Amino acid sequence: MRLQRLRGAGLAALACAALTACATTGSDDSNGDGDKARGPLAAGLDAAANPDPFPSTYRGLPRDNLAVVGGTVFDGAGRRIDDGVVVVTDGRVAAVGGAETPIPAGHRRVDASGRFVTPGVIDTHSHLGVYPSPGVQGMSDGNEATNPNTAQVWAEHSLWPQDPGFNAARAGGVTTLQILPGSANLFGGRGVTVRNIPSVTMQGMKMPGAPYGLKMACGENPSRVYGARNSSPATGMGNVAGYRAAFIAAREYKAKWDRWREDGEGSPPTRDLQLDTLVGVLDGSVLVQNHCYRADEMAVMIDIAKEFGYRITAFHHAIEAYKVAPLLAREGICADMWTGWWGFKMEALDGVEANAALVDAPPGSCAVIHSDDAELTQRLNQEAAAALAAGRRIGMDIPEERAISWITLNPARSLGIADQTGSLEAGKRADVVIWSANPFSVYARADQVFIDGGLAFDRFDPAYQPVSDFELGQPGYGLSAASVPQGAR
């Protein structure tokens, strides 16, 4: 009966949401200033008039005001605070400090004595939902490998929000993920940044205001996928020619739209979804997330970016990033890396476990630990610990309070959301993990995970150990309050 009531509530909530959406579709048809590109008709014509036609409906989990007290705090921005206090008000971090930090009246105290407190873990390279569990061909939706350039596709349109992998990642402290297309293509399509809460829709997880990322891939993958079909690209030089040709076309497309917006004469240019995305790269609204292993190829990709006037936000996998660490720091490019994955193909051969530690060394660097894997995403704290230990073995004295940024603040920088999350600083979203032990210990487990101040996971309370519909009825799983999607509460 409880399940029926909850499902009924969910249907009512969905119906209410649908009515609300219908009520807001009627808008003033006047342009005000007469700007042709801003009228309602232009929304269907102008590539820039509606940059997000699939808007977020994210609302967050139920929350109360609280103060996490007594734990060792790594704030993600370089501070370690023993016997620390993190004050959360209305889903935001209100204050972080020592034991003397004032706690407002009415705030619930959460005792973290003997434990550690960090920002939520952020995974910049995930395929959860697009390569979900169960891993069957019918749901293998991560690679639109039909053409070297598929910049027109968006990963969010393949995302299955009830992938059980999201629940497992949350139990590992992961509060935010970037879901990317695969790396078969020169241009694989747009990624989407999601908040790791239960939802029945992609829009219910989609992070409001997070910029889109374009997945690009250099090296062996695109030349292998298409060269094997006796088509271009078949070589590294074919890869580079493909990038350049695409951005030449994007420049021409942008110029046509700019002229039409300026003079308003004649019919507007025909919309091209592929070129819309590439123009977003040129104007900086779409961030480049570039799969690239070798140091020399990273340098080439940087030159291409300079040729066309855009910037690369992050190189992903970046096994040889340590060889060009000063270059990456100088260009303001993050390197999103593994610690122990290497040697599975030629471009992955020259890996070192201290990669992240070496990338972290130059001033202005941005070292990130990512997963690219449904299991590794559950243990990103251990992957960071292995990189930290490898750095120390070669004589690098890296404090733990700095290394925690590899899975918190630096990933937020890589996704363009560092103003919102990634560190425990006043005004940011209250994404908080309480660990049973030092998060760099192999024995550490996430005891409690808060997303926007709402309790999303509690290791000791089955009511906050969500399961997807796919898991219901299987041995060891049952219905919990936290497993019910947000719209049904």
Side-chain angles (χ1 to χ4, degrees):
M1 289 299 294
R2 181 186 181 197
L3 177 58
Q4 291 175 342
R5 287 196 299 271
L6 289 168
R7 283 181 172 166
L11 290 172
L14 291 172
C16 180
L19 289 172
T20 303
C22 291
T24 59
T25 55
S27 60
D28 185 0
D29 286 349
S30 64
N31 297 347
D33 60 1
D35 183 351
K36 181 174 183 178
R38 295 185 183 181
L41 177 61
L45 302 173
D46 189 341
N50 187 10
D52 191 4
F54 307 96
S56 168
T57 59
Y58 173 79
R59 295 188 314 182
L61 298 168
R63 62 177 185 248
D64 57 4
N65 296 331
L66 56 93
V68 181
V69 301
T72 299
V73 176
F74 293 151
D75 73 350
R79 287 198 302 168
R80 173 185 174 130
I81 306 169
D82 295 314
D83 196 12
V85 174
V86 178
V87 179
V88 174
T89 305
D90 295 331
R92 297 272 174 173
V93 176
V96 180
E100 73 286 352
T101 303
I103 299 174
H107 278 54
R108 177 171 63 87
R109 289 174 178 256
V110 178
D111 185 8
S113 299
R115 298 185 288 172
F116 284 71
V117 182
T118 72
V121 176
I122 300 174
D123 190 354
T124 62
H125 193 118
S126 175
H127 300 296
L128 292 181
V130 298
Y131 287 126
S133 304
V136 298
Q137 184 62 35
M139 300 185 76
S140 180
D141 274 2
N143 255 321
E144 181 65 32
T146 52
N147 192 281
N149 185 349
T150 59
Q152 70 273 15
V153 304
W154 298 21
E156 63 196 65
H157 300 142
S158 283
L159 194 154
W160 183 45
Q162 296 183 71
D163 180 353
F166 287 115
N167 297 330
R170 193 181 309 111
V174 176
T175 57
T176 305
L177 310 96
Q178 178 178 224
I179 310 302
L180 290 166
S183 53
N185 321 78
L186 299 176
F187 301 91
R190 297 194 192 201
V192 62
T193 298
V194 299
R195 308 287 283 158
N196 195 11
I197 65 166
S199 177
V200 295
T201 68
M202 164 276 294
Q203 294 92 330
M205 301 177 73
K206 189 173 180 179
M207 183 172 181
Y212 281 105
L214 171 63
K215 176 71 172 294
M216 293 176 62
C218 69
E220 293 183 25
N221 281 22
S223 59
R224 181 185 71 246
V225 169
Y226 297 99
R229 300 175 183 177
N230 296 315
S231 60
S232 181
T235 61
M237 56 188 172
N239 286 352
V240 172
Y243 308 130
R244 299 178 75 198
F247 281 115
I248 289 170
R251 271 185 170 178
E252 294 174 351
Y253 179 72
K254 182 178 185 299
K256 289 178 182 178
W257 276 104
D258 289 345
R259 284 195 298 271
W260 182 75
R261 293 191 191 99
E262 184 177 345
D263 58 36
E265 295 180 359
S267 299
T270 302
R271 285 285 305 278
D272 186 310
L273 295 177
Q274 184 180 104
L275 294 174
D276 283 354
T277 292
L278 296 183
V279 168
V281 170
L282 295 178
D283 68 22
S285 62
V286 176
L287 309 183
V288 173
Q289 308 288 347
N290 202 151
H291 162 117
C292 209
Y293 286 76
R294 281 174 21 196
D296 60 309
E297 292 184 331
M298 293 181 217
V300 169
M301 297 306 296
I302 291 171
D303 281 347
I304 295 169
K306 290 180 177 179
E307 178 184 6
F308 292 97
Y310 67 89
R311 65 177 300 270
I312 297 166
T313 301
F315 284 118
H316 289 240
H317 310 335
I319 275 180
E320 294 185 10
Y322 66 95
K323 297 181 181 181
V324 287
L327 172 63
L328 299 180
R330 190 163 60 246
E331 297 294 332
I333 300 173
C334 296
D336 298 6
M337 301 161 280
W338 302 293
T339 301
W341 287 23
W342 69 281
F344 43 90
K345 53 184 174 178
M346 280 300 298
E347 63 186 3
L349 196 62
D350 208 3
V352 297
E353 287 189 330
N355 196 14
L358 291 165
V359 168
D360 184 70
S365 64
C366 180
V368 175
I369 299 294
H370 70 3
S371 80
D372 191 27
D373 182 72
E375 294 184 3
L376 184 58
T377 194
Q378 303 168 37
R379 298 184 293 276
L380 285 175
N381 61 309
Q382 295 179 14
E383 192 78 352
L388 176 61
R392 288 176 172 174
R393 283 196 298 272
I394 61 173
M396 304 181 72
D397 184 17
I398 303 170
E400 292 175 338
E401 56 267 31
R402 178 173 177 83
I404 200 68
S405 69
W406 301 347
I407 56 173
T408 57
L409 184 57
N410 287 356
R413 289 173 58 190
S414 181
L415 300 184
I417 56 173
D419 61 330
Q420 291 288 313
T421 187
S423 59
L424 300 177
E425 297 179 275
K428 289 193 175 183
R429 294 175 179 269
D431 300 337
V432 184
V433 182
I434 302 176
W435 301 88
S436 63
N438 187 317
F440 295 105
S441 165
V442 71
Y443 299 108
R445 301 180 68 179
D447 282 346
Q448 291 178 304
V449 178
F450 297 86
I451 300 177
D452 284 323
L455 184 58
F457 174 79
D458 189 325
R459 186 161 68 93
F460 306 105
D461 188 346
Y464 293 93
Q465 296 168 12
V467 295
S468 76
D469 287 349
F470 181 79
E471 296 166 299
L472 291 176
Q474 297 193 38
Y477 294 104
L479 179 67
S480 67
S483 71
V484 180
Q486 59 175 342
R489 291 196 184 139

